[in-house]
Amino acid sequence: MLNLQQRDTAVIWHPYTQMKTAGKSIPITRGKGVYLYDEDGRKYIDAVSSWWVTLHGHAHPYIAQRVSEQLHTLEQVIFAGFTHEPAVKLAENLLALLPGNQKKAFYSDNGSTAVEVALKMCIQYAFNSGSRKKKIMAFRNAYHGDTFGAMSVSGRSTWTEPFGEMLFEVVFIDPPNPGNMKDILSQIESMANDTICLIYEPLVQGAAGMLMHNPEELSQLMKCCRMHGILLIQDEVFTGFGRTGKLFAADYLTEKPDIMCFSKGLTGGTMPMGITSCSEDIFNAFLSEDQHRTLFHGHSFTANPLACTAALASMELLLLEETQRQIRMITEKHARFAEVLKSHPLAEEVRQTGTVLAWNLASGQAASYFSNDRQKIYEAFLVRGIIMRPLGNIMYLVPPYCITEDKLEFLYRNILEVLDLFQGG
Ligand SMILES: *Cc1c(COP(=O)(O)O)cnc(C)c1O
């Protein structure tokens, strides 16, 4: 009899994984709260929220109950020509929390598709308005997903190299900081006449390595784009739903985007779903007697009632005072630990935005995404019952909000021990 790991090896191709050299995948049988349990009953703290999606912990009973009820009521219905309560209610509830100009919600399946929809809205907005603008701007090192449009607006890297010539052209600008603000504003001004939109991850560039920038400069940049008629796509796929300490990164900014993208924490991390929200102005540009102006985009599972219900339940939990208190607790404890970490010789550029804490492993000690040290560090945490998956030489914590103070301290203590281990060896 083959065990699960061997059966996996026989039939599965894993994401972001060099299957020749990859270690065996750990079979997980169940999850509860911050813990994931493997076949042997060993438990791991999910310190990365299972790729940044889990908000309230695994197998949350309230979300499970709501989805189960929905599953017995209406599991799926074609979303062209039909509608249903969970889709309408979720759009109402989400839009009520967003900047006041966000008026419509378009459903899709994941973060990449939410970005595709946003890009198509902008490009066709220009088309429908008879504009001849062609350029799209994005931040250097951006990550917006793995489908072709989303790859095109993401930083070019080893990941995108084989597809380089197939990706559409994008002008990459540096994320703003107090030092480069003037240069960036003049760069934007010089391209304004030909630029349709700017897409950006607000405050935290996740996959780039949790790179952070200030709300003040980002607001200034947004204002400049707005003045020059450049549409703004704010990709909150990672930053949304409390990660930054506020409900959305938008809550730190003085300017409003035209379009916003959501996924990951949208359903509390229980089901795949994406939403692209937009302003009345974007929506209106598609209204016409002329079929050519229609947004011809959709997915089989658009607004799947189960996913919508999971999102409704997750957002209820998110808005509870208890959850908001947890988010503040994590933010404050991270801030205190950041001070300790700063004095560790192996931790460089310690940075934090809300519940996201990140630092670089000092160069020379641990190297690139492809190095063995990364694997060793990953394994050192696994042995200690902690899932922390470094991004290259960048370590980070993105815990589910249900984590307790004790468990956070357990994480901090182990981080210092593992760093000491690698400093010594
Ligand atoms: C993860 C991510 C995406 C892509 O989402 P998927 O659901 O993995 O396709 C897009 N944008 C940002 C900012 C992300 O972090």
Side-chain angles (χ1 to χ4, degrees):
M1 271 276 282
L2 297 178
N3 65 26
L4 192 58
Q5 231 170 26
Q6 291 160 327
R7 284 163 52 208
D8 173 284
T9 305
V11 295
I12 302 288
W13 190 343
H14 284 273
Y16 283 107
T17 303
Q18 174 43 258
M19 298 301 292
K20 185 177 170 76
T21 51
K24 296 246 183 323
S25 299
I26 300 167
I28 295 295
T29 52
R30 64 190 182 92
K32 189 165 174 44
V34 289
Y35 287 116
L36 291 166
Y37 294 84
D38 72 12
E39 270 188 331
D40 304 322
R42 277 177 47 87
K43 61 182 183 186
Y44 305 86
I45 294 188
D46 188 354
V48 296
S49 291
S50 281
W51 254 350
W52 323 344
V53 302
T54 308
L55 294 193
H56 311 295
H58 291 280
H60 196 284
Y62 181 62
I63 301 178
Q65 178 213 328
R66 290 280 301 272
V67 172
S68 165
E69 284 164 12
Q70 185 62 43
L71 187 53
H72 289 279
T73 312
L74 176 69
E75 86 301 347
Q76 168 68 2
V77 57
I78 175 174
F79 205 59
F82 293 86
T83 192
H84 54 85
E85 172 72 22
V88 176
K89 183 90 180 126
L90 176 56
E92 289 170 349
N93 289 6
L94 177 64
L95 291 171
L97 300 175
L98 300 181
N101 68 337
Q102 298 296 299
K103 297 293 188 198
K104 304 284 176 187
F106 191 102
Y107 286 100
S108 65
D109 302 338
N110 57 65
S112 302
T113 55
V115 166
E116 297 289 340
V117 171
L119 292 170
K120 285 171 87 167
M121 281 179 178
C122 285
I123 294 166
Q124 194 174 347
Y125 176 94
F127 174 89
N128 286 359
S129 327
S131 155
R132 304 171 70 86
K133 290 181 173 184
K134 286 281 176 290
K135 285 200 173 87
I136 292 178
M137 289 194 301
F139 281 173
R140 213 174 296 289
N141 296 315
Y143 179 76
H144 296 290
D146 285 348
T147 52
F148 268 81
M151 260 200 298
S152 293
V153 291
S154 298
R156 304 296 197 263
S157 68
T158 316
W159 300 358
T160 59
E161 192 187 338
F163 316 105
E165 289 185 3
M166 315 290 191
L167 302 179
F168 60 73
E169 204 180 309
V170 168
V171 179
F172 289 101
I173 61 173
D174 283 320
N177 64 50
N180 68 9
M181 206 62 223
K182 264 180 69 182
D183 285 351
I184 290 179
L185 295 185
S186 65
Q187 209 182 340
I188 290 173
E189 276 161 24
S190 71
M191 292 185 304
N193 287 339
D194 196 25
T195 301
I196 299 173
C197 62
L198 166 71
I199 182 168
Y200 54 94
E201 296 160 87
L203 306 188
V204 187
Q205 293 186 282
M210 303 296 167
L211 304 180
M212 297 177 189
H213 53 264
N214 298 327
E216 291 76 23
E217 278 81 33
L218 181 58
S219 295
Q220 229 181 311
L221 187 159
M222 290 167 72
K223 190 171 179 185
C224 174
C225 288
R226 164 94 45 239
M227 264 167 45
H228 289 94
I230 298 170
L231 298 173
L232 297 167
I233 303 174
Q234 189 157 303
D235 179 353
E236 295 231 25
V237 168
F238 171 53
T239 53
F241 306 99
R243 292 291 183 206
T244 65
K246 300 198 184 197
L247 279 181
F248 298 96
D251 298 324
Y252 289 91
L253 303 170
T254 55
E255 301 296 315
K256 298 180 177 75
D258 298 279
I259 296 177
M260 298 176 77
C261 302
F262 307 95
S263 188
K264 292 207 165 101
L266 171 59
T267 61
T270 56
M271 295 204 150
M273 187 163 74
I275 291 183
T276 309
S277 68
C278 73
S279 67
E280 200 83 52
D281 178 43
I282 299 282
F283 181 75
N284 286 345
F286 291 74
L287 300 180
S288 173
E289 305 295 318
D290 179 359
Q291 277 292 328
H292 286 97
R293 293 188 164 218
T294 310
L295 180 63
F296 286 110
H297 187 102
H299 299 276
S300 314
F301 285 102
T302 298
N304 173 257
L306 302 175
C308 289
T309 301
L312 281 166
S314 173
M315 274 170 48
E316 272 179 45
L317 295 173
L318 178 66
L319 295 176
L320 292 178
E321 176 47 32
E322 187 188 325
T323 311
Q324 292 302 311
R325 203 165 43 228
Q326 281 291 109
I327 291 173
R328 287 195 295 274
M329 181 277 284
I330 297 168
T331 302
E332 284 159 21
K333 285 195 83 80
H334 272 0
R336 257 172 278 144
F337 179 59
E339 290 309 313
V340 178
L341 205 50
K342 276 174 189 165
S343 61
H344 198 288
L346 271 197
E348 288 179 346
E349 293 183 44
V350 180
R351 53 199 180 271
Q352 183 202 359
T353 300
T355 70
V356 184
L357 177 66
W359 64 98
N360 298 7
L361 285 168
S363 53
Q365 300 285 342
S368 76
Y369 198 86
F370 304 99
S371 87
N372 289 332
D373 288 344
R374 174 182 174 276
Q375 186 62 23
K376 277 187 212 146
I377 287 173
Y378 176 56
E379 281 164 12
F381 281 108
L382 279 181
V383 167
R384 290 155 185 266
I386 296 167
I387 302 177
M388 273 185 72
R389 204 172 184 274
L391 286 160
N393 70 329
I394 291 143
M395 314 260 343
Y396 67 91
L397 284 177
V398 179
Y401 305 149
C402 63
I403 196 164
T404 60
E405 296 203 38
D406 282 358
K407 281 167 199 156
L408 269 176
E409 269 152 27
F410 173 81
L411 290 179
Y412 299 153
R413 207 163 51 239
N414 278 279
I415 287 165
L416 293 175
E417 283 176 22
V418 169
L419 286 180
D420 285 346
L421 208 69
F422 277 80
Q423 193 185 15

